[in-house]
Amino acid sequence: MAAAAGAAAFAGGVQAQGAKTSARMPGSGSITDVTGLRVGHYTDTRRPTGCTVIIAEAGATGGVDVRGAAPGTRETDLLNPVNMVEKVHAIVLSGGSAFGLDAASGVMRYLEEKKIGFDVGVAHVPIVPSAILFDLGVGDASIRPDAAAGYQACKSASTEATEEGNVGAGAGATVGKLYGPQRAMKGGLGSASLTVAGVTVGAIVAVNAVGDVLDPATGRILAGARTADGKQLLDTRAAILAGELPRSMRPGTATTIGVVATDATLTKAQAQKIAGMAHDGLARSINPIHTMLDGDTIFALGTGTSGKHGNVMLLGVMAAEAMAIAVQRAILAARAVEGFPAAVDFVA
């Protein structure tokens, strides 16, 4: 089953465009292939930074799994299966470190205007969990996503295949940061989907990792820490095992955040388990991952629009596969910004 999903994912890949690359973009599809979801971005090119919103206007069962040791999140406790609220109405992924959590307020305002949310009798309260990544080291740190950015992301939301690369929450993302920003590379935002046995699973991820990003099929590093002269990829894992440790790095200066979603019907417990299994996709494609410097967080959504009940084994395998593909797409779609070259400048 996994092999079939992987083969389907890598069939028909498209050429990644770049000055020095012939690498093929893996996989296909988008999280918007899951019926019931819309995705929108706000990208602030002044820094750059931005935020991404995944909207489920009819509500979706939600779960979350936080693995990094430096998370920045909002409204994640209510996703615990023992707690009351069953449905969420949007997920926000944002740059800007903890300041970026304010983007969710703009999403709430947009949804409230449309009377979307948890009906408490006197008002509809939109349930909008969110997570942030640290991108304040790219450009002017005083520029970060706010409530207005979240509102604008909602206005741009569409069921069309989402943009990838230097967009939304991935606009200021970087990777390979263990040896300092001067040796890091550009991260980005990616998405992918798989359909197996009549159900669809999609993933979207903003890749802003301390570690390197690699192709799990070959082990080849796509982007990450560079050698001191900046001309070659270092291989962070090998460097650490050889005893080459960084002298210092500020905690919480990274984080990969994402969402997996399915059109199957899920319970909250099932959604939480699938979110956890989706982290396997990060572990296959990012190394090291879940460090003390990352706040890696994955949400899971079940829209139920297929009318099929969730098979957690199938959906978990699909979620991990889609997430691994989305991570690679984020890196191969990214383009260089000042001080941070992109994978397309290195990968042949």
Side-chain angles (χ1 to χ4, degrees):
M1 179 177 62
F10 284 89
V14 298
Q15 191 77 16
Q17 298 301 314
K20 299 180 182 179
T21 185
S22 59
R24 293 175 64 82
M25 186 75 84
S28 61
S30 168
I31 195 171
T32 53
D33 293 332
V34 176
T35 308
L37 299 182
R38 295 189 292 129
V39 172
H41 307 288
Y42 173 80
T43 305
D44 192 331
T45 58
R46 292 176 297 168
R47 191 155 73 74
T49 189
C51 60
T52 295
V53 61
I54 299 91
I55 298 176
E57 289 191 5
T61 304
V64 68
D65 191 297
V66 180
R67 297 286 178 93
T73 58
R74 169 173 165 164
E75 293 275 53
T76 52
D77 282 352
L78 61 80
L79 298 177
N80 188 314
V82 304
N83 291 334
M84 180 182 67
V85 173
E86 290 291 331
K87 301 286 187 180
V88 304
H89 305 97
I91 301 289
V92 178
L93 309 176
S94 181
S97 190
F99 298 107
L101 290 172
D102 193 32
S105 297
V107 175
M108 290 188 69
R109 178 164 66 89
Y110 175 89
L111 294 174
E112 183 188 24
E113 289 175 359
K114 296 183 174 297
K115 300 188 184 303
I116 296 169
F118 184 63
D119 188 354
V120 295
V122 294
H124 287 81
V125 181
I127 306 300
V128 185
S130 60
I132 51 87
L133 55 79
F134 184 96
D135 62 2
L136 298 180
V138 181
D140 184 350
S142 68
I143 299 171
R144 51 254 186 163
D146 55 13
Y151 190 90
Q152 290 301 316
C154 290
K155 290 181 67 175
S156 75
S158 166
T159 58
E160 298 297 317
T162 183
E163 296 177 77
E164 299 177 284
N166 298 19
V167 63
T174 52
V175 298
K177 292 180 275 196
L178 196 63
Y179 299 96
Q182 72 280 359
R183 293 169 66 176
M185 291 177 63
K186 186 71 181 70
L189 184 130
S191 189
S193 70
L194 298 167
T195 299
V196 178
V199 295
T200 297
V201 170
I204 189 168
V205 62
V207 184
N208 186 60
V210 164
D212 301 336
V213 175
L214 52 89
D215 177 350
T218 64
R220 180 179 62 163
I221 296 173
L222 303 177
R226 292 172 288 147
T227 52
D229 62 8
K231 295 181 179 180
Q232 297 180 12
L233 296 172
L234 175 66
D235 190 337
T236 297
R237 180 184 62 170
I240 291 172
L241 294 177
E244 186 179 344
L245 301 178
R247 284 190 291 271
S248 65
M249 183 175 174
R250 291 190 302 273
T253 52
T255 297
T256 295
I257 50 178
V259 179
V260 291
T262 178
D263 54 9
T265 299
L266 302 178
T267 66
K268 287 175 71 175
Q270 288 174 327
Q272 182 173 328
K273 181 60 178 176
I274 291 165
M277 293 177 76
H279 273 281
D280 293 348
L282 297 188
R284 293 172 196 163
S285 55
I286 302 172
N287 200 329
I289 188 66
H290 305 145
T291 74
M292 294 299 293
L293 308 172
D294 291 291
D296 307 315
T297 301
I298 295 179
F299 297 95
L301 297 174
T303 67
T305 53
S306 71
K308 296 180 179 292
H309 289 285
N311 177 325
V312 174
M313 176 62 76
L314 171 64
L315 296 175
V317 169
M318 293 171 68
E321 186 77 5
M323 183 57 72
I325 296 167
V327 168
Q328 295 169 77
R329 291 182 64 89
I331 292 304
L332 293 173
R335 295 298 179 264
V337 299
E338 184 176 357
F340 299 96
V344 294
D345 302 318
F346 281 76
V347 178

